[in-house]
Each structure stands twice: as structure tokens, then as C-alpha cells.
Amino acid sequence: MTAGLVIAGLFPAVPALAQSIDIGPGGVRVDPRSPREREYDAIRREERREEFREERRDTIRDDIRREERRRDFEDGVPPRGRY
């Protein structure tokens, strides 16, 4: 018994690991990340989504401007300073 106590004393207390268990149509999935790691990943995902939205917005805006310039050129309208 004392040997067990000595061995237990050699190892510091191990914190409980939080896990997320998802049960869905694809089966059971265990996520061993801590809640803090999951939150950090969620923040990074949202930042990537926002970057994608901004890039898409810029692309659409550029396409609209390009189309306006093309129409103006075809109509013989001189270029404006906004390009």
C-alpha cells in the first residue's frame, strides 16, 4: 500500500481532459481538443470566412467597375477620374 502511495506521489495530478463526443449519421466522433482549443479553432474559421467574403466582395466590385468602363468606352464616354 505504501508503494502505491509513493508511486502516486511521484506523478503530479493529471487534469481531466475535456472531450466532445458527436453522434451523427457518419457514426461516433470523439474530439480530444480542449474547450479552449475548440473556441480558438472556431474563431480562426470565422476569420477565414470573413476574409473569403471580403475577397469575394472586392472581386464583384472590380467586375462591376470593369463592366462600367467597358460600357462607357463602347458608348464613347470619356473616362472619369473614378477609375
Side-chain angles (χ1 to χ4, degrees):
M1 171 136 156
T2 57
L5 292 175
V6 170
I7 292 174
L10 293 176
F11 296 105
V14 177
L17 297 176
Q19 293 181 346
S20 172
I21 299 175
D22 296 326
I23 302 173
V28 177
R29 185 176 69 96
V30 177
D31 187 357
R33 297 174 297 161
S34 71
R36 188 170 84 180
E37 290 171 324
R38 285 193 291 273
E39 179 64 25
Y40 182 70
D41 288 346
I43 291 169
R44 285 192 348 215
R45 265 193 313 275
E46 184 57 36
E47 287 172 351
R48 283 193 300 262
R49 276 190 206 113
E50 186 57 35
E51 288 173 7
F52 176 77
R53 287 182 197 124
E54 288 174 7
E55 288 175 10
R56 179 128 171 90
R57 232 176 282 136
D58 291 345
T59 301
I60 291 170
R61 191 175 297 126
D62 290 345
D63 290 346
I64 290 170
R65 287 183 182 145
R66 192 175 301 110
E67 180 62 23
E68 287 174 349
R69 283 192 302 263
R70 186 190 62 76
R71 271 188 272 142
D72 287 349
F73 179 76
E74 288 176 355
D75 294 342
V77 176
R80 295 176 281 236
R82 67 179 186 172
Y83 298 120

